[in-house]
Amino acid sequence: MSEQKLPYIKITENGPYLLYGATKISEKIILTDENGISVKYGDGKTFEIKSDPVCLCRCGHSKNAPFCDGSHADAMFIGTETAVFTPIMKQPSAEAIRGPTQTLLDNQQYCAFARFCDRGGRVWNLVMEGGKAADKLSAEEANLCPAGRLMMFTNDGKLLEENTEPQVHTIEDGGLHISGPLWIRGGIRVESADGRSYEVRQKQTLCRCGASANKPFCNGAHASMRFKAKTAK
């Protein structure tokens, strides 16, 4: 393990995520305004980690979330990874929206349905509008996207993305009253069950409901199924 950059996540076949090198997982809550628009994140519970690695649920059935309690075996969970290893903004599903001063890269297959893209006006419209106010809002909205579905660049190629230390969060959606994905930040590597590494990114979201069609990554399936994690006491 000394050769690994920690923390990192290893996916097990039809089983949990193995999280190495972390001491805690904190809960982030999507907070909405009176119109139901996502505006910011709030802080929730903190889950202390007492083993290394720690097993995290990815089937959606654990009664001790975010930790695995073995429910995947009883549920006969099929967790086959379907995501590709190509960097997400080089995939055919990625789209570039170029405005007067900024360019938005968008790959909707990685949407975590956090809905910050409507916070100050739709991000796709704001980037096309341009101007100081619209540019500021569109960059903020792209940064609030937990999945990295949205990435904002200046037209001369500068990535407008916040860098953070490695962090692991669970997302709870305060607007929809449902549970969201596992949010990993700060360049945490995700290794597939067969030993290959996915693209290392500043932020990405991993499926916790077990229903994503783009495993291991979240594709928003938790929203349509109204997933609610049974949280550890």
Side-chain angles (χ1 to χ4, degrees), residues 135-227:
D135 284 350
K136 181 177 183 292
L137 280 171
S138 61
E140 288 175 354
E141 291 180 7
N143 260 301
L144 286 166
C145 170
R149 166 193 168 169
L150 303 173
M151 296 178 70
M152 189 70 71
F153 293 81
T154 62
N155 284 349
D156 59 5
K158 179 183 177 182
L159 176 61
L160 302 175
E161 184 172 79
E162 178 186 5
N163 291 326
T164 65
E165 294 298 314
Q167 301 172 29
V168 180
H169 308 292
T170 56
I171 291 180
E172 293 294 321
D173 193 321
L176 298 180
H177 306 290
I178 59 175
S179 300
L182 189 69
W183 184 16
I184 58 176
R185 307 168 68 189
I188 294 176
R189 184 174 70 87
V190 178
E191 182 180 303
S192 68
D194 67 7
R196 291 182 289 172
S197 291
Y198 291 98
E199 178 187 12
V200 176
R201 297 187 281 137
Q202 270 296 311
K203 53 186 178 178
Q204 48 192 331
T205 48
L206 301 179
C207 176
R208 281 205 300 155
C209 70
S212 174
N214 192 34
K215 291 183 181 68
F217 302 105
C218 173
N219 75 341
H222 60 277
S224 59
M225 68 184 289
R226 307 294 300 177
F227 171 65

Side-chain angles (χ1 to χ4, degrees), residues 29-42 113-124 126 137 141 144 173-176:
I29 303 169
I30 296 174
L31 302 178
T32 60
D33 65 14
E34 64 276 8
N35 297 313
I37 301 296
S38 300
V39 292
K40 63 181 180 179
Y41 294 101
F113 206 67
R115 307 180 310 288
F116 288 102
C117 46
D118 293 326
R119 179 170 170 262
R122 289 176 59 79
V123 66
W124 303 272
L126 290 170
L137 280 171
E141 291 180 7
L144 286 166
D173 193 321
L176 298 180

Side-chain angles (χ1 to χ4, degrees), residues 75-91:
M76 294 184 288
F77 173 61
I78 303 299
T80 305
E81 296 169 62
T82 51
V84 299
F85 291 87
T86 306
I88 73 165
M89 293 309 173
K90 294 183 178 179
Q91 296 173 17

